[in-house]
Amino acid sequence: MVARIRLKGLTKQFGSVLAVDNVNLEIEDGELLALLGPSGCGKTTTLLMLAGIYRPTKGEIYFDNVVINDVPPKDRNVGLVFQSYALYPHMTVYDNIAFPLRLRRVDKNEIDRRVREVARLAQIEDLFARRPSQLSGGQQQRVALCRALVRKPALLLLDEPLSNLDARLRIETRTEIKRLQRELGITTILVTHDQVEAMTMAERVAVMRNGRIEQLSTSAGLYNGPANLFVASFIGDPPMNLIPMEYTIEGGKPCLVGDGELRITLPNPFQHSLSQASSRKVFLGIRPEHIRVSIEETDDAVGVSVFMTEPLGRDTLIQLQWGKHLLRALVPGDVEVQVGQKVWLQVARDAVHLFDAKTEQRLPDPKLMVKGRFIALACQKGA
């Protein structure tokens, strides 16, 4: 069994297109790691190099401490589950699962034992006689997973395995995959563009863009401390509000000023963070769930108008006109707000994110030593 996977300077180029650019990554034994990013970011190309389908242009792939760049796919002991499931339509469920073992000429009794073992784990023993056309999407996905697991792979690779499922089945199936992976202890790499899928299933997530890893962290690390503007905008649903501002000092306090005389005065500890920026231009990041909205006027709150509402059931997503910008905020679903209504808002002081506008990198977090949980936003002219 493979104890650990290591990618060292992994690069893949197709002509003039650099698909994967100098990726360095370590995956621990038994870990479920997700490669997350938009289409074309290099995550599937990385997966296919691990499987041996693509050969790296540069760099090395290590299984434990052994370089396997020249090892053919059939000798890597890797299980691969595709987005399309790729089941054989003329074969029964039993035969689809057994097929990899028959190719290896495994003893018939051993094949039967292993097929039944993985089918029991995936709870599809009663489907053995059916063909793929007689299965639901979720059942087909579990058959494809069993076919990958039956060979007892050292590494399991999942390429967008839930993309073809409806929303409810996707929730059930990701729980099932996570249970199976933990039960079997197989090192697993999940490729997905769905942040919810990555953050709920994986122990760590590598966010990719343009062939590079932008940030590698836990779900909480990505959410609470995005390394740059791309990660901040990609992680979170609804996404983070990112507002271009300019840093200045007013009355001895750090202040951010934006378009339309938009203004926010920050507690003093932010001054050190803002002084680390390469220029006075920064981005202010605020997640919708960290904005407190009140339908009644409160002290130290700024009045804004409701631009749009989107009922989501438990919550309502509202867009608020703040200066020349629209802010997304979440309020409880039982709070009634109407388009055009005036409301008052504040921001949780410990949930403000600051990014350098030039480098797009996160500025250091201040050590906040201020009283009160919320800070007020303000606008000099109108709201």
Side-chain angles (χ1 to χ4, degrees):
M1 296 288 286
V2 173
R4 204 176 77 181
I5 306 296
R6 183 158 61 98
L7 310 181
K8 183 179 178 182
L10 193 65
T11 301
K12 182 61 180 178
Q13 193 157 352
F14 298 97
S16 61
V17 177
L18 189 59
V20 176
D21 185 9
N22 193 36
V23 166
N24 296 283
L25 180 63
E26 291 189 11
I27 302 112
E28 298 299 327
D29 179 25
E31 181 179 12
L32 197 165
L33 180 135
L35 299 179
L36 172 67
S39 297
C41 72
K43 55 189 187 295
T44 296
T45 302
T46 301
L47 195 81
L48 295 178
M49 283 191 282
L50 279 162
I53 296 171
Y54 288 160
R55 183 181 176 84
T57 305
K58 295 179 184 176
E60 291 84 40
I61 301 172
Y62 292 84
F63 282 15
D64 276 338
N65 294 315
V66 179
V67 178
I68 53 92
N69 289 36
D70 297 324
V71 176
K74 66 183 180 64
D75 296 328
R76 294 193 182 194
N77 195 20
V78 169
L80 181 58
V81 178
F82 293 99
Q83 178 181 348
S84 63
Y85 312 139
L87 300 176
Y88 299 106
H90 63 288
M91 291 185 184
T92 63
V93 165
Y94 184 98
D95 290 335
N96 264 286
I97 298 173
F99 185 73
L101 300 182
R102 288 175 178 159
L103 279 180
R104 294 182 169 196
R105 301 185 184 278
V106 175
D107 177 77
K108 183 178 179 181
N109 291 331
E110 176 65 8
I111 291 175
D112 186 68
R113 184 189 70 80
R114 285 164 65 172
V115 168
R116 293 185 184 279
E117 181 183 34
V118 296
R120 177 181 55 80
L121 287 171
Q123 301 174 3
I124 57 169
E125 294 170 287
D126 58 336
L127 304 178
F128 278 158
R130 297 190 191 180
R131 287 184 166 78
S133 62
Q134 298 171 310
L135 303 175
S136 68
Q139 291 169 335
Q140 289 184 50
Q141 192 277 336
R142 281 189 280 172
V143 173
L145 186 61
C146 285
R147 186 178 61 186
L149 293 174
V150 76
R151 57 188 295 180
K152 296 185 176 179
L155 175 64
L156 179 62
L157 304 175
L158 306 175
D159 185 15
E160 302 275 9
L162 309 182
S163 294
N164 294 335
L165 305 182
D166 61 51
R168 182 174 178 178
L169 190 55
R170 195 177 297 128
I171 295 172
E172 295 173 359
T173 307
R174 70 183 183 223
T175 302
E176 189 69 15
I177 290 176
K178 191 171 182 178
R179 178 187 68 81
L180 281 170
Q181 189 271 337
R182 284 187 174 178
E183 202 166 308
L184 297 170
I186 297 176
T187 305
T188 303
I189 299 176
L190 166 72
V191 158
T192 180
H193 65 274
D194 186 331
Q195 60 168 298
V196 175
E197 191 175 302
M199 295 175 75
T200 54
M201 292 177 66
E203 296 164 54
R204 291 188 302 157
V205 179
V207 181
M208 296 188 69
R209 176 176 62 161
N210 299 331
R212 288 180 169 269
I213 294 177
E214 294 285 326
Q215 187 173 358
L216 173 64
S217 186
T218 61
S219 298
L222 293 173
Y223 181 83
N224 296 317
N228 53 43
L229 276 176
F230 173 75
V231 177
S233 64
F234 197 79
I235 298 296
D237 185 20
M240 181 185 290
N241 298 290
L242 293 167
I243 306 162
M245 307 285 276
E246 190 162 327
Y247 164 53
T248 185
I249 297 289
E250 293 185 1
K253 288 185 174 292
C255 184
L256 298 179
V257 179
D259 293 339
E261 300 299 328
L262 203 61
R263 176 176 261 79
I264 174 171
T265 300
L266 297 170
N268 283 331
F270 279 92
Q271 187 167 338
H272 174 72
S273 298
L274 289 163
S275 68
Q276 306 300 304
S278 60
S279 72
R280 292 196 172 271
K281 295 184 181 299
V282 298
F283 275 88
L284 170 67
I286 311 168
R287 293 203 181 278
E289 53 270 41
H290 294 147
I291 296 176
R292 184 171 70 178
V293 178
S294 174
I295 58 175
E296 296 181 359
E297 186 172 1
T298 58
D299 293 337
D300 263 349
V302 61
V304 296
S305 61
V306 177
F307 181 78
M308 187 69 69
T309 65
E310 298 179 36
L312 303 175
R314 183 186 63 181
D315 299 309
T316 298
L317 176 65
I318 60 176
Q319 293 190 50
L320 305 169
Q321 189 80 46
W322 185 45
K324 293 184 178 179
H325 298 278
L326 291 176
L327 281 185
R328 289 177 291 267
L330 286 171
V331 297
D334 58 357
V335 175
E336 293 187 10
V337 288
Q338 306 295 329
V339 173
Q341 180 180 347
K342 188 172 184 179
V343 296
W344 284 260
L345 63 90
Q346 293 173 303
V347 174
R349 65 169 176 79
D350 54 357
V352 168
H353 305 264
L354 296 171
F355 302 91
D356 189 309
K358 183 177 180 180
T359 66
E360 299 191 352
Q361 297 302 302
R362 181 185 184 85
L363 295 175
D365 286 326
K367 301 296 183 183
L368 292 179
M369 301 295 294
V370 293
K371 293 182 179 180
R373 177 166 170 75
F374 292 89
I375 54 178
L377 305 177
C379 188
Q380 280 188 332
K381 297 180 180 178

